Amino acid sequence: MKVENILVIGANGQIGSVLTQELKKKFGNENVVASDLRVKPDFEGVFEILDATDKDVIEQIVVKYEITQIYHLAAILSAKGEENPLSTWEINMKTMFNVFEVSRLNNVDKVFFPSSIGVFGDAALADATPQSTFLNPSTVYGISKAAGENWSQYYFERYELDIRSLRYPGIIGYQSLPGGGTTDYAVDIYHKAVNGEEFVCFLEENTVLPMIFMDDAIRATIELMDSPKENIKTRTSYNLASMSFSPDEIAAAIQEVIPSFKISYEPDFRQEIAASWPKSIDDSEARIDWGWKPKYNLDSMSKVMIEKLSEQYNTVV
Ligand code: NAD
Ligand code: SER
Protein backbone atom coordinates (compact mmCIF):
# COMPACT_ATOMS: atom_id res chain seq x y z
CA MET A 1 0.00 0.00 0.00
CA LYS A 2 1.19 3.51 -0.83
CA VAL A 3 2.54 5.55 2.10
CA GLU A 4 0.71 8.86 2.47
CA ASN A 5 2.74 11.81 3.76
CA ILE A 6 0.54 14.64 4.96
CA LEU A 7 1.28 18.37 5.32
CA VAL A 8 -1.09 20.50 7.42
CA ILE A 9 -0.64 24.26 6.89
CA GLY A 10 -2.18 26.37 9.69
CA ALA A 11 -1.87 23.46 12.13
CA ASN A 12 -2.01 25.65 15.26
CA GLY A 13 -5.47 26.99 14.45
CA GLN A 14 -8.94 26.07 15.67
CA ILE A 15 -9.41 23.35 13.05
CA GLY A 16 -5.76 22.56 12.34
CA SER A 17 -4.90 21.57 15.89
CA VAL A 18 -7.74 19.02 16.00
CA LEU A 19 -7.40 17.81 12.42
CA THR A 20 -3.66 17.21 12.86
CA GLN A 21 -4.34 14.84 15.77
CA GLU A 22 -6.96 12.92 13.74
CA LEU A 23 -4.66 12.68 10.73
CA LYS A 24 -1.88 11.34 12.97
CA LYS A 25 -4.24 8.60 14.21
CA LYS A 26 -5.08 7.71 10.62
CA PHE A 27 -1.67 7.96 8.92
CA GLY A 28 0.81 7.60 11.81
CA ASN A 29 2.63 10.28 13.81
CA GLU A 30 5.73 10.27 11.64
CA ASN A 31 3.71 10.69 8.42
CA VAL A 32 1.98 13.96 9.38
CA VAL A 33 3.93 17.21 9.16
CA ALA A 34 2.27 20.05 11.07
CA SER A 35 3.22 23.60 10.07
CA ASP A 36 2.36 27.13 11.08
CA LEU A 37 3.95 30.55 11.61
CA ARG A 38 5.31 29.42 14.97
CA VAL A 39 5.54 26.19 16.95
CA LYS A 40 3.48 25.70 20.11
CA PRO A 41 5.72 24.80 23.08
CA ASP A 42 3.75 21.64 23.94
CA PHE A 43 3.51 20.29 20.37
CA GLU A 44 4.58 16.67 19.96
CA GLY A 45 5.44 15.33 16.53
CA VAL A 46 6.90 16.55 13.25
CA PHE A 47 6.62 20.34 12.95
CA GLU A 48 7.98 22.85 10.43
CA ILE A 49 7.80 26.60 10.87
CA LEU A 50 6.24 27.85 7.65
CA ASP A 51 4.95 31.15 6.36
CA ALA A 52 2.81 29.95 3.48
CA THR A 53 3.22 33.27 1.66
CA ASP A 54 6.71 31.89 0.88
CA LYS A 55 6.33 29.40 -1.99
CA ASP A 56 9.95 28.21 -1.83
CA VAL A 57 9.62 27.09 1.79
CA ILE A 58 6.42 25.15 1.03
CA GLU A 59 8.23 23.46 -1.85
CA GLN A 60 11.25 22.58 0.31
CA ILE A 61 8.95 20.91 2.87
CA VAL A 62 6.96 19.06 0.19
CA VAL A 63 10.18 17.71 -1.36
CA LYS A 64 11.85 16.92 1.99
CA TYR A 65 8.94 14.81 3.30
CA GLU A 66 7.68 13.52 -0.09
CA ILE A 67 4.27 15.01 0.69
CA THR A 68 1.28 13.37 -1.01
CA GLN A 69 -1.59 15.36 0.57
CA ILE A 70 -1.81 19.00 1.74
CA TYR A 71 -4.50 20.40 4.07
CA HIS A 72 -4.25 24.16 3.52
CA LEU A 73 -5.98 25.76 6.51
CA ALA A 74 -4.05 29.04 6.82
CA ALA A 75 -6.31 32.07 6.25
CA ILE A 76 -7.49 35.29 7.84
CA LEU A 77 -11.13 34.80 8.87
CA SER A 78 -14.22 36.96 8.33
CA ALA A 79 -14.20 39.39 11.26
CA LYS A 80 -10.43 39.81 11.62
CA GLY A 81 -10.17 40.10 7.84
CA GLU A 82 -12.20 43.32 7.81
CA GLU A 83 -9.53 45.09 9.91
CA ASN A 84 -7.22 45.17 6.90
CA PRO A 85 -8.98 44.06 3.71
CA LEU A 86 -6.02 44.30 1.32
CA SER A 87 -3.69 42.38 3.57
CA THR A 88 -6.41 39.71 4.09
CA TRP A 89 -6.79 39.35 0.33
CA GLU A 90 -3.02 39.18 -0.11
CA ILE A 91 -2.53 36.48 2.55
CA ASN A 92 -5.54 34.35 1.64
CA MET A 93 -4.85 34.39 -2.10
CA LYS A 94 -1.05 34.19 -1.99
CA THR A 95 -0.97 31.22 0.38
CA MET A 96 -3.61 29.45 -1.73
CA PHE A 97 -1.80 30.01 -5.05
CA ASN A 98 1.49 28.89 -3.49
CA VAL A 99 -0.10 25.65 -2.27
CA PHE A 100 -1.83 24.97 -5.59
CA GLU A 101 1.30 25.71 -7.65
CA VAL A 102 3.67 23.69 -5.44
CA SER A 103 1.17 20.82 -5.49
CA ARG A 104 0.84 20.79 -9.25
CA LEU A 105 4.59 21.08 -9.87
CA ASN A 106 5.53 18.39 -7.33
CA ASN A 107 2.82 15.82 -8.07
CA VAL A 108 0.99 16.16 -4.76
CA ASP A 109 -1.97 13.76 -5.08
CA LYS A 110 -4.67 15.61 -3.12
CA VAL A 111 -5.21 19.07 -1.65
CA PHE A 112 -7.87 20.14 0.87
CA PHE A 113 -8.92 23.80 0.62
CA PRO A 114 -11.65 24.89 3.06
CA SER A 115 -14.29 27.33 1.92
CA SER A 116 -17.04 28.84 4.06
CA ILE A 117 -20.66 29.90 4.34
CA GLY A 118 -19.04 33.35 4.02
CA VAL A 119 -19.11 32.95 0.21
CA PHE A 120 -22.86 33.63 0.30
CA GLY A 121 -24.37 37.10 0.45
CA ASP A 122 -27.83 38.63 0.38
CA ALA A 123 -28.48 37.50 -3.19
CA ALA A 124 -28.66 33.84 -2.11
CA LEU A 125 -31.74 32.25 -0.54
CA ALA A 126 -31.21 32.53 3.23
CA ASP A 127 -33.07 29.30 4.05
CA ALA A 128 -31.75 26.00 2.70
CA THR A 129 -29.22 27.92 0.60
CA PRO A 130 -28.63 25.79 -2.51
CA GLN A 131 -25.28 24.44 -3.69
CA SER A 132 -25.33 26.48 -6.87
CA THR A 133 -26.48 30.04 -6.46
CA PHE A 134 -25.35 33.62 -6.97
CA LEU A 135 -22.33 34.42 -4.74
CA ASN A 136 -22.05 38.04 -3.57
CA PRO A 137 -19.99 37.85 -0.37
CA SER A 138 -20.02 40.86 1.96
CA THR A 139 -16.51 40.40 3.40
CA VAL A 140 -13.05 40.28 1.86
CA TYR A 141 -12.75 36.84 3.48
CA GLY A 142 -15.84 35.67 1.57
CA ILE A 143 -14.55 37.19 -1.66
CA SER A 144 -11.23 35.33 -1.22
CA LYS A 145 -13.03 32.03 -0.56
CA ALA A 146 -15.39 32.47 -3.54
CA ALA A 147 -12.36 33.18 -5.76
CA GLY A 148 -10.55 30.21 -4.19
CA GLU A 149 -13.45 27.91 -5.04
CA ASN A 150 -13.24 28.92 -8.70
CA TRP A 151 -9.46 28.52 -8.73
CA SER A 152 -9.85 25.04 -7.20
CA GLN A 153 -12.10 24.06 -10.08
CA TYR A 154 -9.70 25.66 -12.58
CA TYR A 155 -6.68 23.73 -11.26
CA PHE A 156 -8.70 20.51 -11.36
CA GLU A 157 -9.90 21.05 -14.92
CA ARG A 158 -6.69 22.48 -16.36
CA TYR A 159 -4.02 20.55 -14.43
CA GLU A 160 -6.00 17.59 -13.00
CA LEU A 161 -4.91 18.64 -9.50
CA ASP A 162 -7.28 16.81 -7.13
CA ILE A 163 -8.41 19.70 -4.91
CA ARG A 164 -11.37 19.01 -2.60
CA SER A 165 -13.29 21.59 -0.62
CA LEU A 166 -16.09 22.11 1.91
CA ARG A 167 -18.06 25.25 2.69
CA TYR A 168 -17.75 24.86 6.45
CA PRO A 169 -20.45 26.37 8.66
CA GLY A 170 -19.28 27.96 11.96
CA ILE A 171 -17.26 25.31 13.79
CA ILE A 172 -17.73 24.68 17.52
CA GLY A 173 -15.30 22.58 19.52
CA TYR A 174 -13.90 22.26 23.04
CA GLN A 175 -10.37 21.36 21.92
CA SER A 176 -9.27 24.76 20.55
CA LEU A 177 -10.17 28.43 20.39
CA PRO A 178 -11.41 30.18 17.25
CA GLY A 179 -9.26 32.75 15.45
CA GLY A 180 -11.29 35.81 14.41
CA GLY A 181 -14.55 34.66 12.82
CA THR A 182 -18.14 35.89 13.05
CA THR A 183 -19.29 32.53 14.45
CA ASP A 184 -16.70 32.58 17.29
CA TYR A 185 -19.38 33.62 19.82
CA ALA A 186 -20.77 30.07 19.72
CA VAL A 187 -17.49 28.73 21.16
CA ASP A 188 -16.83 31.58 23.61
CA ILE A 189 -20.31 31.22 25.11
CA TYR A 190 -19.53 27.72 26.45
CA HIS A 191 -16.25 28.88 28.04
CA LYS A 192 -18.10 31.65 29.88
CA ALA A 193 -20.95 29.34 30.88
CA VAL A 194 -18.78 26.65 32.49
CA ASN A 195 -16.85 29.34 34.38
CA GLY A 196 -20.05 30.78 35.86
CA GLU A 197 -19.71 34.06 33.93
CA GLU A 198 -22.31 36.08 32.05
CA PHE A 199 -21.81 36.10 28.27
CA VAL A 200 -22.07 39.35 26.31
CA CYS A 201 -22.95 38.40 22.75
CA PHE A 202 -21.75 40.48 19.78
CA LEU A 203 -24.68 39.26 17.63
CA GLU A 204 -28.39 40.00 18.07
CA GLU A 205 -30.38 37.36 19.92
CA ASN A 206 -32.36 36.10 16.91
CA THR A 207 -29.50 35.87 14.37
CA VAL A 208 -29.66 32.31 13.05
CA LEU A 209 -26.48 30.88 11.48
CA PRO A 210 -25.43 27.42 10.22
CA MET A 211 -23.04 25.68 12.63
CA ILE A 212 -21.34 22.31 13.06
CA PHE A 213 -19.67 20.44 15.94
CA MET A 214 -15.90 20.02 15.51
CA ASP A 215 -16.10 16.21 15.54
CA ASP A 216 -18.55 16.26 12.63
CA ALA A 217 -16.46 18.86 10.73
CA ILE A 218 -13.29 16.78 11.07
CA ARG A 219 -15.12 13.59 10.06
CA ALA A 220 -16.59 15.37 7.01
CA THR A 221 -13.11 16.52 5.98
CA ILE A 222 -11.60 13.06 6.25
CA GLU A 223 -14.57 11.37 4.56
CA LEU A 224 -14.39 13.83 1.66
CA MET A 225 -10.63 13.26 1.27
CA ASP A 226 -11.09 9.46 1.45
CA SER A 227 -13.83 9.33 -1.17
CA PRO A 228 -13.06 7.84 -4.58
CA LYS A 229 -12.11 10.59 -7.02
CA GLU A 230 -15.01 9.84 -9.34
CA ASN A 231 -17.52 10.53 -6.51
CA ILE A 232 -16.33 14.12 -6.14
CA LYS A 233 -18.58 15.87 -8.64
CA THR A 234 -18.39 19.38 -7.17
CA ARG A 235 -14.97 20.86 -7.79
CA THR A 236 -15.68 24.33 -6.45
CA SER A 237 -16.75 23.50 -2.87
CA TYR A 238 -19.48 21.39 -1.27
CA ASN A 239 -22.23 22.89 0.88
CA LEU A 240 -22.01 21.22 4.30
CA ALA A 241 -24.76 21.41 6.92
CA SER A 242 -25.42 20.15 10.40
CA MET A 243 -27.45 22.47 12.66
CA SER A 244 -28.68 26.08 12.73
CA PHE A 245 -29.42 28.21 15.78
CA SER A 246 -29.49 31.76 17.13
CA PRO A 247 -27.72 33.11 20.24
CA ASP A 248 -30.94 32.88 22.28
CA GLU A 249 -31.37 29.23 21.23
CA ILE A 250 -27.81 28.22 22.18
CA ALA A 251 -28.22 30.11 25.48
CA ALA A 252 -31.42 28.14 26.15
CA ALA A 253 -29.62 24.85 25.39
CA ILE A 254 -26.89 25.81 27.89
CA GLN A 255 -29.50 26.82 30.49
CA GLU A 256 -30.94 23.29 30.27
CA VAL A 257 -27.67 22.14 31.89
CA ILE A 258 -26.62 25.34 33.72
CA PRO A 259 -29.89 27.09 34.74
CA SER A 260 -28.03 30.08 36.26
CA PHE A 261 -26.32 30.97 32.96
CA LYS A 262 -27.00 34.53 31.75
CA ILE A 263 -26.57 36.17 28.34
CA SER A 264 -26.85 39.81 27.27
CA TYR A 265 -26.47 41.45 23.86
CA GLU A 266 -24.17 44.18 22.55
CA PRO A 267 -24.15 43.73 18.77
CA ASP A 268 -21.14 45.15 16.89
CA PHE A 269 -19.91 45.18 13.25
CA ARG A 270 -20.08 41.37 13.14
CA GLN A 271 -23.90 41.55 13.22
CA GLU A 272 -23.88 42.97 9.69
CA ILE A 273 -21.63 40.14 8.46
CA ALA A 274 -23.84 37.51 10.10
CA ALA A 275 -26.98 39.09 8.63
CA SER A 276 -25.56 38.65 5.13
CA TRP A 277 -24.99 34.90 5.62
CA PRO A 278 -27.45 32.00 5.21
CA LYS A 279 -29.60 30.76 8.07
CA SER A 280 -29.48 27.16 6.85
CA ILE A 281 -27.75 25.20 4.11
CA ASP A 282 -28.92 22.59 1.61
CA ASP A 283 -26.12 20.01 1.55
CA SER A 284 -27.93 17.32 -0.44
CA GLU A 285 -25.11 17.07 -3.01
CA ALA A 286 -22.56 16.17 -0.30
CA ARG A 287 -25.01 13.59 1.06
CA ILE A 288 -25.57 12.04 -2.38
CA ASP A 289 -22.00 12.21 -3.76
CA TRP A 290 -19.96 10.99 -0.78
CA GLY A 291 -22.48 10.01 1.89
CA TRP A 292 -22.24 12.99 4.28
CA LYS A 293 -24.43 12.79 7.39
CA PRO A 294 -23.96 14.83 10.59
CA LYS A 295 -24.22 13.13 14.00
CA TYR A 296 -24.65 16.06 16.41
CA ASN A 297 -27.48 18.54 17.02
CA LEU A 298 -27.53 21.56 19.35
CA ASP A 299 -28.48 19.56 22.46
CA SER A 300 -26.03 16.68 22.00
CA MET A 301 -23.22 19.12 21.13
CA SER A 302 -24.00 21.31 24.17
CA LYS A 303 -23.82 18.31 26.46
CA VAL A 304 -20.35 17.33 25.20
CA MET A 305 -19.07 20.93 25.15
CA ILE A 306 -20.11 21.55 28.77
CA GLU A 307 -18.80 18.18 29.96
CA LYS A 308 -15.38 18.55 28.27
CA LEU A 309 -14.85 22.21 29.16
CA SER A 310 -15.83 21.56 32.80
CA GLU A 311 -13.10 18.89 32.87
CA GLN A 312 -10.58 21.29 31.28
CA TYR A 313 -11.35 24.13 33.73
CA ASN A 314 -11.93 21.75 36.62
CA THR A 315 -15.29 23.41 37.36
CA VAL A 316 -18.50 21.84 38.60
CA VAL A 317 -21.65 22.78 36.69
P1 NAD B 1 -7.59 29.87 12.65
O1 NAD B 1 -7.50 31.35 12.47
O2 NAD B 1 -7.95 29.33 13.98
O3 NAD B 1 -6.22 29.20 12.22
C1 NAD B 1 -5.52 29.60 11.08
C2 NAD B 1 -4.06 29.25 11.28
O4 NAD B 1 -3.35 29.66 10.12
C3 NAD B 1 -3.43 29.98 12.49
O5 NAD B 1 -2.81 29.05 13.34
C4 NAD B 1 -2.43 30.92 11.86
O6 NAD B 1 -1.25 31.10 12.62
C5 NAD B 1 -2.12 30.21 10.54
N1 NAD B 1 -1.62 31.13 9.52
C6 NAD B 1 -2.05 32.37 9.23
N2 NAD B 1 -1.30 32.90 8.26
C7 NAD B 1 -0.39 31.95 7.91
C8 NAD B 1 0.67 31.90 6.98
N3 NAD B 1 0.95 32.95 6.18
N4 NAD B 1 1.40 30.79 6.89
C9 NAD B 1 1.16 29.73 7.70
N5 NAD B 1 0.18 29.72 8.62
C10 NAD B 1 -0.58 30.83 8.73
O7 NAD B 1 -8.60 29.34 11.54
P2 NAD B 1 -9.49 28.03 11.59
O8 NAD B 1 -10.78 28.38 12.22
O9 NAD B 1 -8.72 26.88 12.08
O10 NAD B 1 -9.80 27.86 10.04
C11 NAD B 1 -9.02 27.05 9.19
C12 NAD B 1 -9.55 27.18 7.78
O11 NAD B 1 -10.93 26.79 7.76
C13 NAD B 1 -9.51 28.62 7.23
O12 NAD B 1 -9.19 28.57 5.88
C14 NAD B 1 -10.92 29.11 7.42
O13 NAD B 1 -11.25 30.04 6.47
C15 NAD B 1 -11.73 27.84 7.23
N6 NAD B 1 -13.02 27.90 7.89
C16 NAD B 1 -13.10 27.92 9.26
C17 NAD B 1 -14.35 27.99 9.88
C18 NAD B 1 -14.50 28.00 11.37
O14 NAD B 1 -15.62 28.15 11.88
N7 NAD B 1 -13.43 27.85 12.13
C19 NAD B 1 -15.51 28.03 9.09
C20 NAD B 1 -15.37 28.07 7.71
C21 NAD B 1 -14.12 27.97 7.11
N1 SER C 1 -16.55 30.63 11.05
C1 SER C 1 -16.04 31.42 9.98
C2 SER C 1 -16.10 32.87 10.28
O1 SER C 1 -16.95 33.24 11.08
C3 SER C 1 -16.85 31.16 8.74
O2 SER C 1 -16.02 30.95 7.70
O3 SER C 1 -15.33 33.61 9.75
Side-chain angles (χ1 to χ4, degrees), residues 9-16 35-38 50-53 72-77 91 95 114-117 141 145 166-172 177-180 183-184:
I9 301 177
N12 291 351
Q14 188 199 7
I15 302 172
S35 71
D36 207 300
L37 295 171
R38 52 196 72 84
L50 166 66
D51 181 341
T53 59
H72 173 48
L73 306 175
I76 308 300
L77 275 73
I91 292 168
T95 58
S115 186
S116 160
I117 52 167
Y141 169 74
K145 290 295 183 186
L166 297 172
R167 288 173 178 156
Y168 286 134
I171 299 180
I172 301 163
L177 292 170
T183 58
D184 292 11

Side-chain angles (χ1 to χ4, degrees), residues 107-123:
N107 301 316
V108 171
D109 292 333
K110 286 185 215 171
V111 176
F112 178 72
F113 169 74
S115 186
S116 160
I117 52 167
V119 295
F120 298 114
D122 60 10

Side-chain angles (χ1 to χ4, degrees), residues 68-130:
T68 60
Q69 295 187 23
I70 301 182
Y71 293 73
H72 173 48
L73 306 175
I76 308 300
L77 275 73
S78 61
K80 190 157 185 284
E82 293 306 292
E83 285 168 15
N84 192 337
L86 292 187
S87 138
T88 300
W89 174 259
E90 178 75 9
I91 292 168
N92 289 2
M93 298 311 290
K94 194 163 188 190
T95 58
M96 182 203 77
F97 279 124
N98 285 347
V99 169
F100 289 2
E101 275 298 284
V102 168
S103 299
R104 138 181 122 76
L105 296 170
N106 292 275
N107 301 316
V108 171
D109 292 333
K110 286 185 215 171
V111 176
F112 178 72
F113 169 74
S115 186
S116 160
I117 52 167
V119 295
F120 298 114
D122 60 10
L125 275 180
D127 294 302
T129 307

Side-chain angles (χ1 to χ4, degrees), residues 150-257:
N150 286 316
W151 278 107
S152 300
Q153 178 163 269
Y154 181 89
Y155 268 75
F156 174 71
E157 286 175 354
R158 170 126 192 215
Y159 303 117
E160 293 182 31
L161 181 60
D162 188 356
I163 305 172
R164 304 179 181 198
S165 179
L166 297 172
R167 288 173 178 156
Y168 286 134
I171 299 180
I172 301 163
Y174 56 85
Q175 304 95 327
S176 51
L177 292 170
T182 303
T183 58
D184 292 11
Y185 91 85
V187 179
D188 298 340
I189 193 171
Y190 288 104
H191 287 261
K192 290 281 187 297
V194 298
N195 283 301
E197 294 171 38
E198 177 175 338
F199 180 67
V200 183
C201 186
F202 58 71
L203 296 185
E204 288 169 7
E205 59 185 327
N206 53 3
T207 310
V208 175
L209 287 172
M211 303 278 187
I212 189 169
F213 188 42
M214 180 67 82
D215 296 30
D216 271 342
I218 299 294
R219 187 170 53 78
T221 308
I222 291 176
E223 286 177 7
L224 174 75
M225 292 299 273
D226 277 352
S227 293
K229 196 171 173 181
E230 59 276 14
N231 289 13
I232 310 300
K233 310 234 166 58
T234 293
R235 286 294 177 172
T236 48
S237 187
Y238 276 102
N239 275 10
L240 186 77
S242 172
M243 60 185 96
S244 287
F245 56 76
S246 61
D248 67 346
E249 287 166 333
I250 190 175
I254 291 171
Q255 283 157 349
E256 290 285 319
V257 188

